[in-house]
Amino acid sequence: MKWTNDRSGNVDDRRGSGGGGGILVGGGLGTLIIAAIIFFLGGDPSAILSSGMGSAGPQTEQRDLNANELKVREFVQMVTAENEQTWTKIFQENGMQYSPAKVVMFEGVTQSGCGTAQAAMGPFYCPADQTVYMDMSFFKELEQRFGAQVTEFSIAYVMAHEIGHHVQTLLGTTQKVDQLRNSGRYSEAEMNRVSVATELQADFYAGVWAKQTDNREKFLEPGDIESAISAAEAVGDDNIQKRSQGYVNQEGFTHGSSAQRREWFMKGYNTGDIRQGDTFNSFLK
């Protein structure tokens, strides 16, 4: 993907600040599988983040970031800025006002509004503080262990997906899902379907962002969309289940199959229209 000249001031880079080096422990499935399962975590991740599954290790010494890390920060600032510009425009076109999400870059462990954030959890959005948390080391795992094609744009896609969850919070979707979850009226299987709809809509929003941003900036290059699809498919529920348990159980899906994730991202990209993303109507029949 081509870099633009836009940079956001809403990025908090906590790397090198002397945070703890804790890792995720326990949980039965192992760190790698848990990380993949909650890679595209939507809604409120506080139950996982504060469940006591992980513990922070000793504090590490502060250090200066190297040239590559500074370049990564600049990249994240750029992608954040392009999200802000695109979603501000989309909201204005629909008679609404967009409030930007914050983005925190960290390594190892940090604190979030939803509890302790750890690298093994992968990128996630916390609605409590309306912030996306990113530990960039996760993308190495995504490529090496799950076979995804990791490029600059696949990272941008992941960020756009998480900011898609922020859009859901601003539109009240996250709150409605939480009300359903807390009502106690729905079975686990039914709530899994709601979770799938939530995640697929965030994929759709990521596609809308890619289309509308490219219309403005012409930042996409050959292979970029394919790399985003590769990342989405790598963390489809069916792919994760095959790797972790050797078979697929559709009732256990919480994020959508690889095919569904590809379908809804491409629908967002092909239409560029936020109004076409009613995944709840499509999957809650």
Side-chain angles (χ1 to χ4, degrees):
M1 63 179 288
K2 298 177 181 177
W3 284 44
T4 71
N5 294 323
D6 301 314
R7 303 292 183 270
S8 172
N10 284 322
V11 176
D12 177 10
D13 191 352
R14 299 178 185 175
R15 298 171 302 164
S17 61
I23 60 173
L24 192 69
V25 296
L29 291 177
T31 300
L32 188 60
I33 300 302
I34 294 175
I37 289 175
I38 61 177
F39 177 83
F40 287 123
L41 188 62
D44 184 357
S46 58
I48 294 175
L49 296 179
S50 59
S51 63
M53 293 170 61
S55 57
Q59 294 292 306
T60 57
E61 294 183 1
Q62 293 189 1
R63 63 178 181 81
D64 293 331
L65 300 181
N66 60 40
N68 181 66
E69 289 171 323
L70 293 174
K71 193 71 173 178
V72 170
R73 176 203 289 168
E74 187 177 2
F75 175 77
V76 170
Q77 290 172 332
M78 177 190 70
V79 174
T80 302
E82 298 308 336
N83 271 274
E84 291 170 354
Q85 291 190 32
T86 295
W87 284 111
T88 294
K89 175 177 178 290
I90 293 173
F91 270 55
Q92 287 177 344
E93 291 172 346
N94 289 275
M96 300 177 293
Q97 183 174 354
Y98 180 71
S99 176
K102 295 180 181 179
V103 176
V104 168
M105 302 175 67
F106 72 99
E107 56 187 1
V109 63
T110 194
Q111 291 302 312
S112 80
C114 295
T116 301
Q118 301 186 52
M121 293 172 175
F124 69 91
Y125 170 73
C126 173
D129 57 11
Q130 297 191 6
T131 300
V132 172
Y133 290 84
M134 302 278 297
D135 186 304
M136 307 305 289
S137 66
F138 183 82
F139 293 97
K140 295 180 181 178
E141 297 286 348
L142 184 65
E143 184 172 45
Q144 297 171 1
R145 305 293 183 91
F146 289 93
Q149 176 188 354
V150 175
T151 66
E152 287 183 343
F153 187 72
S154 58
I155 296 173
Y157 154 68
V158 170
M159 289 184 60
H161 174 103
E162 299 303 339
I163 292 176
H165 287 310
H166 177 61
V167 171
Q168 290 174 323
T169 296
L170 296 181
L171 295 178
T173 305
T174 302
Q175 295 85 333
K176 291 177 181 178
V177 170
D178 286 343
Q179 289 174 0
L180 290 177
R181 182 179 296 112
N182 295 329
S183 69
R185 298 196 304 266
Y186 300 93
S187 67
E188 180 179 354
E190 289 172 326
M191 286 311 304
N192 283 348
R193 294 175 64 192
V194 172
S195 177
V196 167
T198 303
E199 296 300 322
L200 294 181
Q201 188 176 68
D203 278 334
F204 172 84
Y205 287 159
V208 170
W209 169 79
K211 182 67 171 183
Q212 294 223 13
T213 304
D214 190 54
N215 288 343
R216 185 183 69 251
E217 297 288 350
K218 303 300 180 186
F219 75 143
L220 291 177
E221 296 181 309
D224 281 345
I225 295 299
E226 289 76 12
S227 70
I229 292 173
S230 173
E233 291 180 335
V235 289
D237 284 318
D238 49 347
N239 186 39
I240 292 173
Q241 288 181 355
K242 286 178 182 178
R243 291 176 180 271
S244 63
Q245 62 191 25
Y247 63 91
V248 174
N249 173 23
Q250 292 188 6
E251 289 189 357
F253 284 8
T254 57
H255 293 68
S257 68
S258 296
Q260 288 173 322
R261 305 203 73 147
R262 176 180 64 247
E263 174 189 354
W264 279 98
F265 171 78
M266 288 307 301
K267 184 175 182 179
Y269 178 74
N270 289 328
T271 66
D273 183 1
I274 190 176
R275 296 168 297 181
Q276 303 300 315
D278 188 1
T279 55
F280 294 90
N281 182 62
S282 299
F283 288 94
L284 298 182
K285 295 181 177 178

